Structures are given as C-alpha cells and as structure tokens.
Amino acid sequence: QSVLTQPPSVSGAPGQRVTISCTGSSSNIGARYDVHWYQQLPGTAPKLLIYGNSNRPSGVPDRFSGSKSGTSASLAITGLQAEDEADYYCQSYDSSLSGPVFGGGTKLTVL
Amino acid sequence: EVQLVESGGVVVQPGGSLRLSCAASGFTFDDYAMHWVRQAPGKGLEWVSLISWDGGSTYYADSVKGRFTISRDNSKNSLYLQMNSLRAEDTALYYCAKGFHYYDSSGYYQYYFDYWGQGTLVTVSS
C-alpha cells in the first residue's frame, strides 16, 4: 500500500489529453511538500518529468504539465503520442515517515 | 553528461550480504546528496537510503534500517550500499539516484531525484 495513491492505469487515443492523479495526506502533499513526477518507459530507469509541482526539466515537452491543490496533485499529458506509453510515478516527502514517498505508479496505455 | 553506473547485483541466499556500487560522472559528485531507490519485479518505486554530500548524515527506510549501510567515497566519485541479513523481500532492481535538495519559499526542505542509473538486480533466493 503506497502512501501516495495513483490510479493503476489510464488510457487515451493519440492526440487526446489524459490526467493522472496523485492523492496524499496532511503529512505529505497537504503539508506543503512539493510533488515530483517520473516517467519510466518499458525496460528503462525512471526519468524526472516534473519537479516542484509544475516545472519541466530541460528537454521535457510542454505537452506534460503538473499541478497541485490541497492534498492532491495531477499530471496532464496533452496531444498523446505512442511514445508516451509508460509508467508514471508521483513523489513527495512525508513528515511522519521522515523520508520521500512514491505513488504506486500509473500505467499509461496509448490506444 | 551525468552518468550513474551501478554494479554488484547478484543472486544471494537469504541471510547473506552484498555490496552495491555506483560510479558517478558528469557532475561534481561531492556537491550532492545521493540516494538508493529500489523496484521489486513488477512493482513500484521504494526509496531506500540517503547520504549527504559529505557522508556525515545518512537516512534509511524503516524496511532496511539496521541491515543496510550507505556510504560514499568522494575521492572516487562512488556511492555504496552494504546490504546485510538479506531477505527475499529485498529482491529488486536497485537504482542509484542523484538528489536535488532545496528549501522552498516557506522554508520547507525538499528533494527529488534528477538523475538515475540503469539499476543493478539483486535476487535473494535459496
């Protein structure tokens, strides 16, 4: 059971917009800790996708965006492409556990 | 270009020990905290341990506390994870990750993982 809750899977057709939610609690996201997102393509290591709730590292397309409100955060992907098919993880810090925590991951399928 | 290359993963019996290594390049190693993160087969990511830039502070997940020891050698740009009393549930791909640590505008200390290695597989099985 992950501290941060994500839907196990989402799907969308090419060109569509999908969102992935990440729900936490008052000891992590709700405690004003930032949320970060990682993309893990099949058979590869995770890659930083969004940091500090809504910032994109250099090289990440602006089709990817992040937001945070209250005890939840969301990752939005617009103009869905086949190459976006991957697992996506949210991450924050938890003050009760005194360490970083991850969501369980969401598998994105491009139909 | 930042590169993190892990090594040392093997098949080990329950109760055994193992030392993982991570060779870092492409950045000033002793300026950054470093982490180990693991991923069990078919499962999600789990943070394992953190070491400060100078090795003076270390932190562990409860699941490995007392059994694993993180260390670093800044003269060799290397990170290590000594794993003792291994259990079947320690079976995972172990990633070395560079930490980006910061204080936000409210003074909260935060961090994320901006670069990851390709991982090294540890299998605990008899």
Side-chain angles (χ1 to χ4, degrees):
Chain A
Q1 198 83 347
S2 301
V3 173
L4 305 179
T5 301
Q6 298 180 234
S9 64
V10 297
S11 62
Q16 285 190 333
R17 178 181 186 271
V18 296
T19 62
I20 299 173
S21 61
C22 175
T23 302
S25 67
S26 58
S27 62
N28 42 69
I29 299 175
R32 303 176 66 176
Y33 289 106
D34 288 345
V35 178
H36 320 287
W37 292 89
Y38 304 88
Q39 177 192 58
Q40 187 174 32
L41 296 169
T44 70
K47 168 193 159 186
L48 180 66
L49 193 65
I50 297 286
Y51 66 92
N53 303 319
S54 59
N55 302 291
R56 286 186 309 276
S58 173
V60 173
D62 59 6
R63 301 187 295 104
F64 295 90
S65 63
S67 63
K68 173 189 156 182
S69 179
T71 58
S72 295
S74 289
L75 173 70
I77 310 172
T78 59
L80 207 55
Q81 299 180 4
E83 66 216 45
D84 299 333
E85 196 160 278
D87 293 324
Y88 293 84
Y89 294 90
C90 59
Q91 177 247 315
S92 187
Y93 182 88
D94 191 282
S95 57
S96 297
L97 298 174
S98 299
V101 289
F102 289 95
T106 298
K107 182 176 182 58
L108 168 63
T109 300
V110 180
L111 301 171
Chain B
E1 178 195 5
V2 172
Q3 283 201 317
L4 299 169
V5 180
E6 303 92 336
S7 61
V10 292
V11 179
V12 61
Q13 291 190 337
S17 297
L18 197 57
R19 189 198 199 202
L20 305 183
S21 299
C22 171
S25 62
F27 64 102
T28 305
F29 185 69
D30 55 12
D31 275 352
Y32 294 94
M34 295 294 295
H35 300 254
W36 289 99
V37 178
R38 69 184 180 183
Q39 186 171 33
K43 302 296 184 182
L45 301 171
E46 179 189 16
W47 174 77
V48 173
S49 184
L50 151 67
I51 187 166
S52 60
W53 64 274
D54 62 351
S57 298
T58 58
Y59 304 89
Y60 301 91
D62 287 344
S63 57
V64 307
K65 201 172 294 183
R67 300 187 299 122
F68 289 11
T69 302
I70 190 172
S71 62
R72 65 192 295 162
D73 184 338
N74 286 345
S75 69
K76 295 182 178 179
N77 287 355
S78 292
L79 174 72
Y80 306 102
L81 186 67
Q82 178 66 41
M83 309 165 68
N84 298 331
S85 303
L86 283 162
R87 306 166 179 166
E89 54 265 35
D90 296 319
T91 294
L93 191 59
Y94 284 74
Y95 293 105
C96 162
K98 175 179 168 289
F100 189 92
H101 295 223
Y102 63 99
Y103 286 94
D104 67 12
S105 57
S106 300
Y108 278 66
Y109 184 63
Q110 320 228 21
Y111 49 86
Y112 54 88
F113 313 106
D114 57 353
Y115 292 95
W116 300 64
Q118 85 291 346
T120 187
L121 182 62
V122 173
T123 303
V124 183
S125 173
S126 54

